[in-house]
Amino acid sequence: MTFAFPLPTTSQVNFTPSFSSSSAPSLPSATTTRRALLRDTLKRYKRLTPTEQYNNLPSLLSSISEYLPYLYTLDAYITSQDITPLVEFETEWRAVLSRRIVPTELPRIRRKGLDYEICFATATLAYLHTLRARTFLMSAIQAPPPSDSNTTSTSIHLINQAKDQILTAASIFLYLRNISTTRERGDSQPMPADVTTSMYNALWSLCLASATLLAVLKDDPYPSIVALQHDKNSKEWMYKAPTVPTRNRSLLLARLCMYSADMAGKAAAGVAATPGSGAELKAYCEDMAKTAKAKACRFLGVDAEAQGKLGEAIGWVLAGKEVLGMVVGGEGDKGKLGRGLDILKKAREERKMERAPMEALLGPDAGKLEEAMVLNELERRWKRINDSVNFQTVQSTSSLLAMLPTGRPVFPENQTWTPPKLSSSELSQLQTQAPNGGDLDWVGVDDSDDDMSPPEGSMPPGGFPRSQSTGYY
């Protein structure tokens, strides 16, 4: 439910030759120092194993949280003319969301202007919040089965933390979208896809879609198919069905899923409309849109089954499978249905074997396979009952899909991030300190392509969590 953004890396930059301030003479050099520490942390992060990368996220968040107040204060001083630009500032970042022409890593792209630095550094903070959300999700799905209320509360708390991280990322992307449409970049060269208005808008939409699905995840009345996948003998949930929500609750969850599907669809369209954007992010957005729409079909099917409309319930399950792209047919086409699911499983398992054990908990298709397996099990159960007891006619998927409700948002869409600034006491120190000239030899001058490709088994581009336990979400 969260995309695993690759983190960008950057070259060394010195602010002191480009900016001079009489009111805060040491601000450019202090900003240079904090940026060098962030660059070094990003560089080290790329060389870690996937498990070590997850454990290193708090350190990265600390580094960028220390750097951004200096960067935004420097920008504010330029706007208020308390800092004088000396020479045109240039910075270089690796564009991780741009199209990959060759299998090797994308080159770092150099552009002029402080806005370029602000956009990349701030977007990196948003990427980190989404990666933190993934760590909370993994902790939630690795929790033991909810034998008591305390265990259940722990899982819900972790999912809430993941949701909060995603909402923070959404507010950052919204802020970047707003400033990218109103601020002059001062450079006629085309910008990489990572720092365009259309990409920021797409990422904002994707984060809202992800957060909405996490809100639905807490109230999903059925155990995750994760348990079924990792424990073939654990099918108790198919015989002892969980408490089905009331009619109004099912319709609400379906509408939330439809909102998530709409936002994920907008994200996919935004990524596709961004020149030079990569294919992985677009595919993930499309998969999330399908997953969310299929979930809406499932909730409507659960509601229909609770009312005794088993034929309609089966129709909704088949409609969900159709949305996911599975082959749907009549009773004589069970082999085709099974093969359609096997293809999804095989593709997922092939990708899983290429990754580290921790990454095996995450799927790269926004939960499409897991939802397909849930729908498949519900179809088998309901068809068995219908064929032996009810004998109701299964409604056509086309008529049911035309009845899907409109989406409903659950989170505010206009909540923007507030850039951090230095406190008055910190500014007072900068106003009295003499500049150090930006001498950063102690950081290290290795400025080659030092951010080598991540080790084998690195993070997949997003995904839905999978559990090795038989626990519920």
Side-chain angles (χ1 to χ4, degrees):
M1 288 185 183
T2 58
F3 187 77
F5 289 97
L7 296 182
T9 49
T10 180
S11 62
Q12 196 137 311
V13 166
N14 193 341
F15 291 88
T16 54
S18 300
F19 305 104
S20 174
S21 173
S22 57
S23 59
S26 61
L27 177 57
S29 59
T31 306
T32 303
T33 301
R34 268 66 181 186
R35 189 190 188 279
L37 292 173
L38 170 63
R39 171 186 174 272
D40 188 60
T41 308
L42 286 169
K43 168 181 160 183
R44 294 176 187 275
Y45 171 86
K46 296 286 283 188
R47 293 176 172 175
L48 298 175
T49 64
T51 302
E52 292 172 333
Q53 286 181 345
Y54 276 113
N55 295 333
N56 194 246
L57 290 178
S59 175
L60 263 174
L61 275 169
S62 175
S63 296
I64 198 165
S65 297
E66 291 178 4
Y67 168 57
L68 286 179
Y70 285 86
L71 179 62
Y72 276 99
T73 301
L74 180 69
D75 183 56
Y77 267 53
I78 295 173
T79 304
S80 62
Q81 298 183 345
D82 288 330
I83 281 185
T84 303
L86 302 177
V87 296
E88 195 162 26
F89 178 77
E90 285 187 323
T91 185
E92 195 175 77
W93 285 82
R94 193 176 299 282
V96 294
L97 299 182
S98 297
R99 183 181 300 120
R100 193 180 301 273
I101 306 299
V102 293
T104 57
E105 191 147 30
L106 288 163
R108 293 196 294 245
I109 300 176
R110 176 174 290 275
R111 290 292 182 268
K112 297 178 180 179
L114 193 62
D115 283 351
Y116 188 66
E117 173 74 15
I118 288 174
C119 287
F120 255 109
T122 307
T124 302
L125 176 64
Y127 301 156
L128 281 169
H129 280 294
T130 62
L131 295 178
R132 282 290 285 161
R134 289 165 65 84
T135 63
F136 287 127
L137 275 178
M138 284 193 294
S139 297
I141 65 179
Q142 288 177 308
S147 57
D148 52 43
S149 59
N150 291 332
T151 307
T152 304
S153 299
T154 299
S155 297
I156 292 177
H157 176 66
L158 289 168
I159 293 173
N160 278 332
Q161 288 184 295
K163 177 199 65 182
D164 292 341
Q165 295 285 329
I166 292 294
L167 289 175
T168 300
S171 68
I172 295 173
F173 288 129
L174 181 59
Y175 169 80
L176 290 172
R177 186 196 72 179
N178 293 339
I179 66 170
S180 67
T181 59
T182 58
R183 300 181 67 171
E184 294 290 333
R185 295 194 181 277
D187 192 5
S188 58
Q189 289 182 287
M191 289 291 170
D194 303 50
V195 292
T196 58
T197 303
S198 56
M199 179 60 77
Y200 290 142
N201 192 55
L203 295 177
W204 168 73
S205 299
L206 178 62
C207 285
L208 284 181
S210 299
T212 303
L213 278 187
L214 289 178
V216 171
L217 179 63
K218 294 186 304 178
D219 295 323
D220 194 334
Y222 283 85
S224 171
I225 195 60
V226 170
L228 181 64
Q229 181 180 0
H230 286 272
D231 187 353
K232 302 296 183 181
N233 298 321
S234 176
K235 296 190 179 182
E236 180 183 359
W237 71 281
M238 300 312 304
Y239 305 100
K240 184 181 177 182
T243 303
V244 177
T246 62
R247 175 171 174 77
N248 290 337
R249 190 65 176 168
S250 295
L251 294 177
L252 173 61
L253 294 175
R255 291 189 64 188
L256 294 181
C257 289
M258 287 304 299
Y259 173 80
S260 179
D262 292 341
M263 296 303 289
K266 290 179 181 178
V271 174
T274 304
S277 60
E280 287 182 336
L281 180 58
K282 176 176 176 290
Y284 182 80
C285 295
E286 291 173 343
D287 284 342
M288 178 172 284
K290 294 175 182 177
T291 300
K293 192 173 182 180
K295 282 181 180 292
C297 292
R298 171 161 64 88
F299 284 120
L300 294 173
V302 169
D303 176 67
E305 191 268 344
Q307 299 180 69
K309 303 176 181 178
L310 205 54
E312 180 181 335
I314 297 172
W316 278 118
V317 168
L318 296 177
K321 285 181 147 187
E322 186 175 303
V323 168
L324 293 177
M326 300 179 67
V327 181
V328 177
E331 195 68 27
D333 294 325
K334 288 183 179 178
K336 292 183 179 180
L337 284 169
R339 286 195 298 272
L341 186 58
D342 288 341
I343 291 173
L344 290 176
K345 288 182 181 179
K346 182 179 179 181
R348 174 71 70 83
E349 290 303 316
E350 287 176 352
R351 288 191 292 265
K352 170 186 171 183
M353 292 179 66
E354 299 171 356
R355 301 190 178 104
M358 177 171 279
E359 282 305 312
L361 294 173
L362 302 172
D365 54 6
K368 191 167 69 170
L369 173 60
E370 283 79 6
E371 187 61 30
M373 295 178 71
V374 171
L375 292 171
N376 206 50
E377 291 294 333
L378 285 175
E379 180 199 10
R380 281 162 48 190
R381 178 183 180 220
W382 288 347
K383 274 191 173 182
R384 183 172 64 249
I385 297 173
N386 192 50
D387 292 345
S388 59
V389 179
N390 293 57
F391 306 107
Q392 294 183 11
T393 302
V394 176
Q395 293 194 24
S396 66
T397 58
S398 58
S399 63
L400 291 175
L401 289 174
M403 296 166 53
L404 280 170
T406 57
R408 172 180 170 177
V410 66
F411 304 114
E413 297 182 350
N414 59 350
Q415 193 167 359
T416 59
W417 177 73
T418 302
K421 300 287 179 62
L422 293 175
S423 65
S424 57
S425 60
E426 291 171 321
L427 283 173
S428 297
Q429 291 181 350
L430 294 174
Q431 290 166 357
T432 57
Q433 290 175 353
N436 61 16
D439 184 7
L440 297 174
D441 291 340
W442 59 273
V443 177
V445 294
D446 175 19
D447 200 32
S448 60
D449 262 356
D450 46 8
D451 46 321
M452 61 176 61
S453 299
E456 186 177 357
S458 61
M459 286 188 287
F464 186 93
R466 297 187 283 177
S467 175
Q468 294 177 342
S469 71
T470 58
Y472 290 27
Y473 275 107

